[in-house]
Amino acid sequence: MGSSHHHHHHMFRTILVANRGEIALRVMRACRELGLRCVAVYSEADRDAPHVAYADDAFLIGPPSPAESYLNIDAIIRAAKATGAEAIHPGYGFLAENASFVRAVTAAGLIFIGPPAEAMERMGGKTAARREATAAGVPVVPGVLEPVTDAAEVRRLGKEFGYPIAIKAVGGGGGRGLRVVRSPEEVDEAFAAARREAEVAFKNGELYVEKYLDDPRHIEIQVLADRYGNAVALGERDCSVQRRHQKLIEECPSPALTPELRAEMGAAAVRLAKAVGYVSAGTLEFLFQDGRYYFLEMNTRIQVEHTVTEMVYGIDLVAAQIRIAQGEKLWFKQEDVVPRGHAIECRINAEDPLHNFRPALGTIGEYHEPVGFGVRVDSGVRAYYTVPSHYDSLLAKLITWGSDRQEAIARMRRALAEYRIEGVTTIIPFHQAALEHPVFTAGAATVNFIPRHPELFSRAAELTPPTAA
Ligand code: MV4
């Protein structure tokens, strides 16, 4: 019955996972459950990595440099061919949002598990994404839809929208290249600095302007779309607890949304995903302030924090990506997508929160993950493992589910206290400080939560265990 008789179906036997760490393991677990072989690729620095041990087959793709191995398009496609893989899952980061990679994979006769290159490109430029959203009737932050040309134009816009305004890079995203301007006197300098930064960071000096919202939440909507024009929204994640644009804690649902707003934002996200021909799992980022939501940008990949959506909606998003790439029609409808309870994710980074979150990688000693009802650990490490310094500092993600937010928080505090990671410094004490903070427990955290509450750091210091010499 049903889906396996659809003539567009192309059931995979082997998937190559073009990533490392916890997300490579996460994708390979989904492969196993679907009865698929999984192939790891790895750099010289990752010979001993857990994702390599887990895979059915593994293929060395480094040198030249460990940092670049997972960006080596030709080597990854050669590995897929050599190991008999029919499809490639990119995880997040590295090549996940690279339209040239998608085209190279497709040209090699392989399937990219993710959106079409065209959909990626349509959402790639920030002003283009704002135009797509506006055309689809999705609210954006008041501002321009085309890049600005000079500082005088920015001053006119400051007058029109009222200060403060934000100058942003068309090629930016994820918080890079944002300048806040609070008066016309500041425009010349901010415009020049933003242009220089954008040229260096994104090789694209184009800038645009928005009204600046002073105390928003970061709320993002998860969507899933198939190849036949069907799309559903799977609620939201509140990712307001960030530091320097690095998310630290994410939760589903947002304490700030009503069921009505959730339905409205979900419908808006689905309209926009359909309008750009989106396929696979995708995330639409919004700012939320004073009961209103504003589309910011779309992430055309599976995200680190997809786990909290899975726990609350009971849908395996990575398995869904694979099934959609195989040509399956979406097997459930929007009305079947029902949230249950609450989930929170704490990113377990090897960083020192007491020294500006500087990376603190090294060799793990004893290592014990928390277990029990409602606890999930997506990890990329193990006991006695030397964490390579060439990559990011995310060791694992700790996720708890509860029948309500309070239960999810209590369970997270229990699980954080049980998590034992010797040999490397982690941000666990910072999470413990955040999870007992009255602003967080009240569900009132905005993107300014960490900068406005330095007491989080003194409390994290108190909670830091003395290190064994
Ligand atoms: C904004 C904003 C306020 N007003 N845009 C930073 C990340 C990038 N994706 C967008 N960002 C922001 N854009 C307007 N018009 C505030 C931020 C912002 C922010 C957004 C999401 C999560 C954390 C943030 C931290 C500081 C600023």
Side-chain angles (χ1 to χ4, degrees):
M1 299 270 291
S3 49
S4 63
H5 292 257
H6 198 286
H7 66 275
H8 285 300
H9 269 197
H10 177 275
M11 306 303 278
F12 304 143
R13 280 183 314 171
T14 304
I15 292 177
L16 180 138
V17 182
N19 215 300
R20 62 179 307 283
E22 68 84 17
I23 192 61
L25 284 151
R26 166 71 189 88
V27 173
M28 292 193 285
R29 289 188 190 105
C31 293
R32 284 268 156 84
E33 291 175 17
L34 292 168
L36 306 173
R37 276 178 76 237
C38 47
V39 177
V41 289
Y42 62 102
S43 67
E44 295 282 6
D46 270 341
R47 284 182 180 282
D48 193 30
H51 80 279
V52 177
Y54 186 92
D56 295 303
D57 195 359
F59 203 92
L60 179 69
I61 52 167
S65 93
E68 284 161 20
S69 298
Y70 297 95
L71 291 166
N72 188 337
I73 292 176
D74 291 337
I76 289 166
I77 289 172
R78 275 200 303 277
K81 292 287 188 189
T83 56
E86 300 106 331
I88 300 182
H89 195 299
Y92 53 70
F94 296 122
L95 297 167
E97 297 187 90
N98 184 323
S100 308
F101 180 58
V102 179
R103 292 211 163 87
V105 169
T106 309
L110 303 164
I111 291 179
F112 177 79
I113 301 174
E118 300 71 41
M120 263 182 199
E121 284 165 347
R122 282 177 76 169
M123 287 310 224
K126 301 310 154 205
T127 39
R130 283 169 60 80
R131 289 194 296 274
E132 297 280 8
T134 305
V138 176
V140 298
V141 188
V144 297
L145 297 179
E146 299 292 341
V148 292
T149 53
D150 54 47
E153 189 183 351
V154 175
R155 266 189 299 274
R156 275 198 303 281
L157 293 164
K159 205 165 173 194
E160 182 182 342
F161 298 115
Y163 290 90
I165 54 173
I167 302 180
K168 297 184 170 189
V170 170
R176 297 161 312 159
L178 169 80
R179 293 253 159 180
V180 183
V181 183
R182 301 196 176 270
S183 72
E185 291 72 43
E186 294 174 23
V187 167
D188 279 320
E189 202 184 312
F191 183 83
R195 172 143 287 173
R196 276 194 308 274
E197 263 176 38
E199 274 164 359
V200 173
F202 317 114
K203 299 179 187 77
N204 174 5
E206 288 181 301
L207 302 173
Y208 68 106
V209 168
E210 289 176 355
K211 169 90 188 138
Y212 182 73
L213 305 178
D214 260 317
D215 197 25
R217 290 175 186 255
H218 171 126
I219 296 182
E220 55 188 34
I221 302 285
Q222 176 71 55
V223 297
L224 271 180
D226 69 17
R227 305 211 304 230
Y228 314 101
N230 307 297
V232 294
L234 292 95
E236 78 284 4
R237 296 182 285 264
D238 192 320
C239 311
S240 298
V241 180
Q242 311 199 356
R243 183 192 163 269
R244 302 205 179 152
H245 307 298
Q246 294 283 70
K247 294 169 187 164
L248 297 177
I249 303 175
E250 305 98 343
E251 60 184 303
C252 173
S254 169
L257 288 197
T258 60
E260 292 71 31
L261 268 170
R262 175 170 306 115
E264 193 181 319
M265 289 179 75
V270 164
R271 278 202 306 282
L272 184 46
K274 286 182 176 175
V276 300
Y278 200 79
V279 178
S280 193
T283 297
L284 295 99
E285 287 187 11
F286 293 83
L287 294 179
F288 182 85
Q289 187 174 293
D290 303 323
R292 279 202 268 275
Y293 60 92
Y294 309 91
F295 172 75
L296 268 190
E297 58 193 72
M298 183 168 190
N299 299 319
T300 58
R301 60 171 190 273
I302 194 77
Q303 290 193 261
V304 175
E305 62 272 21
H306 73 278
T307 57
V308 291
T309 301
E310 292 181 326
M311 302 311 282
V312 168
Y313 286 87
I315 290 168
D316 182 328
L317 290 169
V318 175
Q321 288 186 296
I322 295 169
R323 292 177 60 182
I324 287 166
Q326 288 182 149
E328 277 191 58
K329 184 174 170 291
L330 267 186
W331 48 98
F332 53 87
K333 300 206 176 329
Q334 186 66 59
E335 59 262 33
D336 305 321
V337 177
V338 182
R340 183 166 157 269
H342 199 100
I344 301 176
E345 173 177 278
C346 288
R347 298 191 185 196
I348 309 301
N349 296 340
E351 294 167 358
D352 185 351
L354 307 182
H355 293 95
N356 224 9
F357 285 72
R358 71 176 174 216
L361 299 159
T363 299
I364 296 173
E366 290 291 321
Y367 178 81
H368 294 284
E369 293 175 351
V371 293
F373 178 46
V375 175
R376 167 177 176 180
V377 182
D378 278 24
S379 162
V381 301
R382 55 175 164 72
Y384 310 112
Y385 174 61
T386 298
V387 189
S389 57
H390 314 275
Y391 307 104
D392 72 13
S393 56
L394 182 75
L395 302 179
K397 307 181 304 205
L398 173 58
I399 305 103
T400 60
W401 178 88
S403 57
D404 58 22
R405 188 170 189 268
Q406 211 182 336
E407 191 176 292
I409 291 173
R411 190 163 281 150
M412 182 60 81
R413 294 176 67 176
R414 184 270 286 180
L416 285 166
E418 287 178 7
Y419 211 151
R420 183 163 158 228
I421 308 177
E422 294 192 343
V424 300
T425 301
T426 76
I427 64 171
I428 287 175
F430 184 85
H431 285 310
Q432 292 175 309
L435 278 142
E436 68 177 31
H437 195 284
V439 171
F440 182 82
T441 56
T446 67
V447 301
N448 296 310
F449 173 57
I450 295 176
R452 285 188 189 162
H453 294 284
E455 70 274 17
L456 288 165
F457 294 88
S458 41
R459 183 64 182 139
E462 288 173 7
L463 293 166
T464 298
T467 48

